[in-house]
Amino acid sequence: MTEVFETDDLGEAHALLERTYTRMRLNVTGDRHHLRIARTEVGPVSLHHVTLSMDFVAELQPIHLIPISRVRAGQARHDLGAGIVESGPGDVFVPALPGREFRVQVKDYDVEHAWFPPAIFAQVAAGEPGRAPRPIRFTGHRPHSSRAATTWENCFDYVRTTVAGIPADEEPLLVGSTARMLAAVALSTFPNTALVEPTVADQHDAHPATLRRAIAFIDENAHGDITPAEIALAARVTIRSLQLAFRRHLGTTPTAYLRDVRLQRAHRHLLEADPATTTVSAVAMRWGFASHSSFTAAYHAAFGVLPSETLRRR
């Protein structure tokens, strides 16, 4: 469900911006004060479409989330203390980082944001090695490349049109895995401190016993919204070791293995379901597959029949 907040009153617009984001000093020029915020949740990630039909300068207190933005129209200039980031139509960028005050100048801005809690990135990747786990930080505001920006946009659009708004308590696997997919794409799009390649210690820990512990945990918990970090914890290794163990011994990834297990559970579900009261789409969503077409393709590749045929055979 999408919540929409809209006003032409400057005082209400200021209050709405502060309630939604953070405290700020707002200096508006001109007599146009229109603000519209459409907000949709994907579990812990919040997707916003903000339309600002006004010109202003804002000085903002530190935020506690990590936003990634795509500009639809208008112009903005973000003064982040250590540098200036200017944006216009078509730009994809990280407009602010947690814990830092910043200043932004806006002119008739139409922008989409994905707001991430910092902890979600540790669920899909490991940070810099050290004695204590370190939070993953973004170290740049622009994508690695235009191709990376396009990948982010495609993923954002897919999530916004397919999964956004589905309550997490109704489809926890679907919503949780989709939110983490968006976080993983964000890490692959922008410079950050996540360490992907295994260290020497990770190489040592990627042995068959690690794989057995991970598979046991996945098999016992595939019905729940489990994360790569939780699988690694159950296997008593880092996320990097976990990934290497699956690649080394099975030629796959933990996420792909989990997906295959859930596909097997979906197959069993369809075999046992009543076609009068069950749909293929409902079973697909129950097991974390957002796209009916991708589920059908994966199912046919695995079992040689369409999921609808399995459901009708009962």
Side-chain angles (χ1 to χ4, degrees), residues 158 259 280-281 284 289-300 306-307:
Y158 169 78
R259 178 178 175 273
V280 170
S281 293
F289 297 87
S291 168
H292 182 91
S293 60
S294 63
F295 173 71
T296 298
Y299 189 94
H300 186 268
L306 298 174

Side-chain angles (χ1 to χ4, degrees), residues 18 48 52 56 119 144 162 167 183 193 199 221 237 265 282:
E18 288 199 324
H48 295 190
L52 291 154
F56 66 82
H144 292 296
T162 307
T193 60
T199 65
N221 297 279
V237 295
R265 304 287 173 88

Side-chain angles (χ1 to χ4, degrees), residues 27 79 136 153 179 192 214 218 227 250 263 268 270:
N27 183 11
D79 185 347
I136 293 172
E153 291 193 84
N192 58 78
I218 289 172
T227 70
L250 291 182
L263 191 63
R268 188 186 309 165
L270 288 168

Side-chain angles (χ1 to χ4, degrees), residues 122-126 196-199 201-218 226-258:
Q123 296 177 10
V124 297
V196 177
E197 292 303 316
T199 65
D202 295 328
Q203 296 271 359
H204 179 268
D205 288 340
H207 45 63
T210 291
L211 186 66
R212 288 194 295 271
R213 289 192 293 266
I215 287 175
F217 181 80
I218 289 172
I226 56 177
T227 70
E230 289 171 327
I231 300 171
L233 181 63
R236 303 197 290 275
V237 295
T238 66
I239 292 178
R240 295 182 299 272
S241 289
L242 178 75
Q243 293 167 335
L244 180 58
F246 272 85
R247 186 165 70 242
R248 177 183 289 173
H249 302 294
L250 291 182
T252 188
T253 66
T255 302
Y257 181 87
L258 175 59

Side-chain angles (χ1 to χ4, degrees), residues 295-314:
F295 173 71
T296 298
Y299 189 94
H300 186 268
F303 304 108
V305 296
L306 298 174
S308 57
E309 294 178 84
T310 301
L311 182 60
R312 286 197 300 267
R313 286 177 182 176
R314 183 182 184 275

